[in-house]
Amino acid sequence: MTREEIENNGEDMMIDDPKPKIENDFNVHYLRIYYGNLFPYTDIHKWLSYGHDGKHPGCDEYYFGRREFSFTLENDVYLRYKSFKNASVMEDAIKSNFPYKIDIGAVYSVDPDKRHAYAHSGTNLFTPVERELVFDIDITDYDDVRYCCSGADVCSKCWPLMTVAIKVIDTSLREDFGFKHILWVFSGRRGVHCWVCDAKARRLTNEQRSAVAEYFRVYKGNENNAKKVDLMGHSLHPFLARSYVDFLKNFFEGELQANQSLFSSEEKYEKILGMITDEDIQADLRGKWENSARSSLSEEATSRLRWEQLKKRLQSKKNKALSLRTCVEEIVFTFTYPRIDLEVSKQMNHLLKAPFCVHPKTGRVCVPIDPNNCDEFDPLAVPTLSQLIEEINSGGLRMDVDDDDSDRSLLGKSIKFFRSSFLEPLLKSCKEEIESSYKTKIAKTKDSFSW
């Protein structure tokens, strides 16, 4: 008997069962309750259907059924190329498997679950035709510029790096590319995911996706080279200049200095001095800072003072070299510019974790983030699986997010934000596009008969 058959033969776990042992705020018994009572199946289905709900003659009734999903089950069992005819079938599959992780892939030319039927046809019928433009940003990629945490750990001092990344990328996607329907989601542990859902974004080719990804490429560093960014040219690109003025400079000189004290020790400031190409300036600043090592100033005050000294020295009129004049900007970009995993964005068939999954390491839900209020987002305050189950036990079996009291529930606010700020405007746009395409098709049909 397979694992799935064993689970399906068992009775649904009752809410009032004895509390099982919890490891890292996550366990499979609680996960079954979460999928049975809280996961927003209807909203996810509406999102990924993009208006193809069968209510309009111009709809593609098979659109959702060609979407790839993958499940990661207990003991790292991985099931790819799953597809579902409708929301009910999707819900049944998730409740039967209670996956540790759900990933969402592309919409294919044929049903992914039936791909083998086309394997011997002699033509490549199974190919991705649509997929959201996605971005993945992970705090672990900032380990060389944060001193409070490392690896998968995150705290209130380093999370603002993610906040600034959201601001920079979201602003550019809207102002430089004209996208409107953008969903930001907490990864559940240490980063953020971005889904660009406009029709023109979903239909980008791999080459076009690569071009968009390369537009954002600035950070090119690794542990072996001191210079980690390439700002290109004698002046900043308008996108980079806007990002620097609107977000990066003030963040570097304010919150980042306060949280990380980037110049407070020799180990920290030597990393920055290594970015300066002039050895005389390096030696001059190093001498000043070594002589002031026993200052009574706090680490934050010391760090701010040394940053001002560095800026004054580099921006002196005596410095004619372009490399020195741009060095201040390069330092700021090195520490603050979004470090995107660009390979995730370049291929249409790349999978990305679904919103409202539960992260198995932290037990936290992958909730949406409001880019307009991302400064207020606290990853450590995101509800955990055990907190949600406790809320269910104390307040009833199902938390209905349509109730007036849903704003007071742990997950209700996130689901309402997903609906009102993202899903409703998206579906309105999709239905307008379907109607427009249908009218154009009818008009062309009438023209052909007029001959």
Side-chain angles (χ1 to χ4, degrees), residues 17 33 44 59 96 98 121 130 184 193 215 232 252 293 360 381 443:
D17 275 358
I33 300 172
I44 296 296
C59 287
S96 298
F98 45 93
S121 66
E130 274 196 27
W184 287 93
H193 298 153
Y215 180 83
M232 298 172 287
F252 179 91

Side-chain angles (χ1 to χ4, degrees), residues 226-423:
K227 185 174 179 178
K228 299 181 185 295
V229 299
D230 184 2
L231 301 181
M232 298 172 287
H234 298 290
S235 60
L236 289 176
H237 183 281
F239 154 58
L240 298 180
R242 181 187 64 225
S243 300
Y244 182 78
V245 172
D246 291 352
F247 306 116
L248 304 183
K249 181 177 181 293
N250 290 338
F251 172 67
F252 179 91
E253 297 185 337
E255 196 168 2
L256 193 65
Q257 285 283 28
N259 290 335
Q260 305 295 337
S261 299
L262 302 175
F263 294 81
S264 61
S265 68
E266 181 179 357
E267 178 186 2
K268 293 180 180 180
Y269 69 63
E270 280 295 340
K271 183 183 298 184
I272 298 173
L273 289 177
M275 302 178 195
I276 301 173
T277 56
D278 189 300
E279 294 183 358
D280 291 336
I281 295 178
Q282 284 187 25
D284 179 34
L285 292 171
R286 184 181 293 110
K288 284 184 179 180
W289 298 346
E290 286 175 348
N291 292 334
S292 63
R294 296 183 179 180
S295 170
S296 60
L297 293 175
S298 66
E299 286 192 352
E300 180 183 342
T302 298
S303 187
R304 293 184 186 279
L305 174 62
R306 289 173 176 173
W307 171 241
E308 293 302 320
Q309 291 172 337
L310 181 147
K311 284 198 299 181
K312 183 177 180 180
R313 186 70 174 84
L314 287 176
Q315 294 173 343
S316 169
K317 294 181 180 180
K318 297 178 182 179
N319 295 327
K320 304 292 185 181
L322 174 64
S323 60
L324 293 177
R325 294 202 305 273
T326 61
C327 192
V328 170
E329 294 169 345
E330 289 176 354
I331 292 170
V332 171
F333 272 87
T334 296
F335 278 81
T336 63
Y337 186 78
R339 301 186 178 186
I340 305 171
D341 185 349
L342 295 178
E343 296 307 312
V344 171
S345 308
K346 292 181 177 182
Q347 296 296 317
M348 195 181 295
N349 62 355
H350 191 94
L351 290 97
L352 194 64
K353 188 193 303 179
F356 297 104
C357 279
V358 181
H359 198 290
K361 297 294 185 182
T362 64
R364 298 193 188 278
V365 182
C366 302
V367 295
I369 300 173
D370 182 357
N372 296 319
N373 296 289
C374 54
D375 287 307
E376 301 173 9
F377 182 80
D378 179 3
L380 303 180
V382 172
T384 64
L385 195 55
S386 64
Q387 289 172 340
L388 292 172
I389 303 309
E390 182 179 350
E391 184 179 53
I392 292 176
N393 283 330
S394 64
L397 182 64
R398 176 177 287 275
M399 304 300 296
D400 190 344
V401 295
D402 288 324
D403 288 346
D404 292 337
D405 293 336
S406 63
D407 279 350
R408 292 197 290 271
S409 72
L410 292 174
L411 201 58
K413 287 183 178 179
S414 294
I415 294 177
K416 278 202 166 184
F417 169 78
F418 179 82
R419 286 179 178 173
S420 62
S421 296
F422 168 71
L423 186 57

